Amino acid sequence: MATMNISLPDVLKSFVDEQVADRGYGTSSEYVRELIRRERDKEELRTMLLAGANSGPGRLVDDAYFAELRALARDEAAE
């Protein structure tokens, strides 16, 4: 695992220490890693949402749609 050192003003260091204590993190590194993972997940979600928005018109999801899915699944299972 790589190491990264960061400098924080005292007020931010105090905030991180409070979050670690209040939220049950073992160390400030665990807390920062969780923040980074959440930001990464938000970016991935944003990318997927934009891709969906740019993919063109969607399809109505109704009884006929699910009937087609079931038929497709049956056909693939029969092969």
Side-chain angles (χ1 to χ4, degrees), residues 25 30-40:
Y25 292 99
E30 287 179 15
Y31 175 67
V32 171
R33 281 193 295 270
E34 179 65 21
L35 293 177
I36 293 168
R37 283 187 200 102
R38 287 182 186 182
E39 185 63 24
R40 181 195 59 204

Side-chain angles (χ1 to χ4, degrees), residues 49-74:
L49 289 171
L50 288 172
N54 292 324
S55 68
R59 177 167 175 208
L60 180 63
V61 178
D62 58 5
D63 290 338
Y65 173 81
F66 287 108
E68 288 178 30
L69 284 180
R70 284 190 292 276
L72 180 62
R74 278 191 302 268

